[in-house]
Amino acid sequence: MDFKHLETEFSGELFYDDSSLHRAQKMVYATDASVYQEQPLAVAHPKDRNDLKTLIRFANQNNISLIPRAAGTSLAGQVVGNGIVVDISRHFKQILEVNKEEKWVRLEPGIIRDDLNAALKPYGLLFAPETSTASRAMIGGMIGNNSCGLHSIVWGDTRQHLLEATVLLSNGEEVVLKYRTAADMEAKARAATLEGKIYKELLTLLNDPVNQTVIRKNYPKRSLKRRNTGYALDALLEEMEAGTGGFNCCRLLAGSEGTLAFVTEVKLNLLPLPPAKDALVCIHCASLADALHANNVVLRHHPMASELVDRYIMDFTKGHPVYQQNRFFIEGAPEALLMVEFMEDTDEKLDERTAALIEDLKRDGLGYAWPVIKGPQTKLVWDIRKAGLGLIRNMPGDRQPVNLIEDCAVSPEDLPAYIEDLQQLLDGYGLTASYYAHAGAGELHVEPMINLKTEEGRQVFRDVLRDTVGLVKKYNGSLSGEHGDGRLRGEFIASAMGDAVYGLLQQVKQFFDPAGVFNAGKIVNTPQMNEQLRYDPQKTPRNIATVFDFTAQENILRLTEKCSGSGDCRKSHITGGTMCPSYMATLQEKDTTRARANILRQFLTNTSAENPFDHPEIKEVMDLCLSCKACKSECPSSVDIAKLKAEFLQHYYDANGIPFRSKLIAGFTRSQRLGIMVPGIYNAMAGNKFTSGLIKKIAGFAPDRSLPAVGKTTLRSWFEKYKKTTAQQYNRKVHLFCDEFTNYNDVEIGKTTIKLLNALGYGVTIPVHKESGRTWLSKGLVRQAQKIITENVAALSKVVTADQPLIGIEPSALLTFRDEAPDLVPAALKTNARQLAAQSFLIEEFLAGEYEKGHITSGRFTEAKQTVKLHGHCYQKSFGIVPSVQKALSIPVNYYVELIPSGCCGMAGSFGYEKEHYDVSMKVGELVLLPAVRSAAADTLIAASGTSCRHQIKDGAKRQSLHPVEVLWAALK
């Protein structure tokens, strides 16, 4: 295949050759959120329709398949294959037209569902289908899978809201699919085009009485709302019968998984925004069976949603850095929770409806607790449900929950009996399972725990699906409710719906795509469903020596395997959150947390190299990781890529040497120690255009990035003199961690911190310790960081106690004790490290805590009014500390603290200095933070705890920002 010639005709990005970047790109597209893995021939990011036509022409000429891909969150392997993956998520992102009066929107398929609704909100409208992946799922993918989501019992599926679609057919013809009368279609059918042939063949098929009987008899019963197996011939037939013989081919397009046509533009039906007030009744049940019977009581009350969460999911919220706080509503130890949502215009109506439901449940003896959650807290409850897939991936061992029978749907009234039968089936295989999701729609996501790393497990994987088909037929259900057939369930469609129906599906594929150009091997003519899985049972996992202790995750390979592929790392800055800043800036799959975990997993599993980390492909994918730590908390599976990146770099450097700049940055303390000996000369050189330019050129720093200045003296030196001038005795004492950034650069902030603590009645000591080790960790020099951190833990654990805690100023430095230290120190010091971690606090945390205890009062501070805009440091966000910073800044009674909804600032320590990373650094800053700072009133204070954050604000917004202690010091009476 002449990919080089294709590249000359292609305006987007094309990855196909044997360079490390191209190999890496193909590897990260080898998986989606399913259990499958197959490397594509190439990856394409088309810019426009002409690019798509070029790809279709190339595919026809070379007898290969195009695999349309949006967010890659499919669970049935829809976007995994050996053709060309065509990723529309980068460029097809325009909203083209909104018609408020007629309630529709016209747009391109690469728009994220939640981002679309953010844009539609000012119109009072929304696109209704809401998957649990709505923060990253794209409209194109939702059409492909006919997505439904949490509120499908009221709002329906994507098929119901797809009005029109502009598509490219398999020969490159551009056509519009929409409702057409019988006469319109007869006219179309006479045209000597592929479109004409499609209409002619469809009309012949659907008007055949034998086919009509086959469809009516073998498709799921009509009362079942979730029906997504095969192509929706039943929907076309129903539409023909309900009207005058016409139909909308979009009914067929939805759920076709990109196998019939390539979507370039769509017109969607919209609904008015729902009532402003909502409430969740959280029904606590002692058994799964009780929850399913309660569900049928619930449905008589016509809720917006009825969703189930089982004990497995709830247990994995315990101790989770984010989801632990979401447990506030859980009483006791329920086996299952049913989350039932009502929406109304008034609290009175909500109270009436929730009370009526609870009364019925109590009368029937269903549930033992029924807390009602309202307002913003409902989001915390829903987040547990939405994170289910990722949370259960925290299960230890090789037996893992698998997407297999998770999408089978029956009518809700049949659900208790179906699940009882299914449990007996799984018991026969000795399998346990997790049960969660759409009880109200008759579709529980049932995920059995199977070890796919063994031949036996792979066979059980297939046998369980084969046997479940019989149960689905028994209840006249649907093999797929919303996740689609893909390559997972396609093999068993004939068993579920009969050979006659399967023959019709094959005909439909042939009508649209006679050459097999579009997503071959999905829905029809699929390979056996237990082929091309992620794991090869012939490979024995090797023991990989690491510097970090990965025992808590079992081992380093297991940590990479925890990535479910659910794509939480692909959400945009519009949705909010921090993970993943580089992806938000580049929109490249290779820059996601998921891609980094996947490529590391693939090499650690498959490489035969002595050093399994010595691969330039891993370096390509890790390159733009800012080590922001957001993935440790925002990823439901807590896949800590910052830790994995540091470990990778250490081994990669072992094989390839340490770059000069990495040594320079890691040794930051040494250079600053020299600079502060002659601060005037150093600062003059750093501020001079010529000398600073020379320094930046030698170091490989960006020309437009300013260099940090040093203080007139170190904080330690100043403190030695200062403490001799203070004779005051203090009842409460703290130890200040004199990190390298504060000691040399932010000396004035260090002084202010000490003065503020003293003024509030706290004696301060600076114990003997080394630098934090953060700069060494950030550049992957983990062994040197380990030495430094071990010495610090040994020294500080001798003096730091619960009564005299360790207080830090710079988040990245202080939080080293909570994050990396316990995993780096030797076994003999692990208990010390954990105790030190529990007794180490950022200054804002400490002040907020003391304020809550009454040791600090608002009366010590000004009563003047002041607005403060706060940007939280990434590590503060990861460790849930930002609320403490807000609370500390709100101690002055009339200080209004507004949190900037920013993710990472983009600076990320040295990342923003580095020449090749500067543009991405600034793009990250420009997503939210820098525009928010520029738009702030001149008299508004900008607060940021991190030294890097303040540097980025200075360079990017030309505005001074303050550390919170500076704000509080200025506010002190």
Side-chain angles (χ1 to χ4, degrees), residues 703-758:
D704 293 333
R705 180 65 72 188
S706 67
L707 296 176
V710 296
K712 295 178 181 178
T713 181
T714 65
L715 180 62
R716 280 188 179 276
S717 298
W718 173 86
F719 182 68
E720 288 302 314
K721 297 176 183 177
Y722 169 78
K723 67 182 181 182
K724 295 175 183 177
T725 66
T726 57
Q728 185 178 346
Q729 297 297 310
Y730 302 97
N731 293 326
R732 296 188 292 277
K733 296 181 180 179
V734 298
H735 300 287
L736 182 70
F737 184 68
C738 185
D739 66 83
E740 54 270 37
F741 311 103
T742 310
N743 193 37
Y744 296 109
N745 308 104
D746 298 322
V747 180
E748 295 304 315
I749 295 174
K751 293 178 184 179
T752 301
T753 301
I754 294 168
K755 291 176 182 177
L756 177 64
L757 286 166
N758 285 170

Side-chain angles (χ1 to χ4, degrees), residues 317 320-327 383-384 387 391 633-634 636:
T317 63
H320 191 282
V322 168
Y323 296 102
Q324 171 64 42
Q325 67 173 338
N326 298 45
R327 293 179 53 85
D383 282 350
I384 289 181
L391 283 168
S633 56
E634 291 184 26

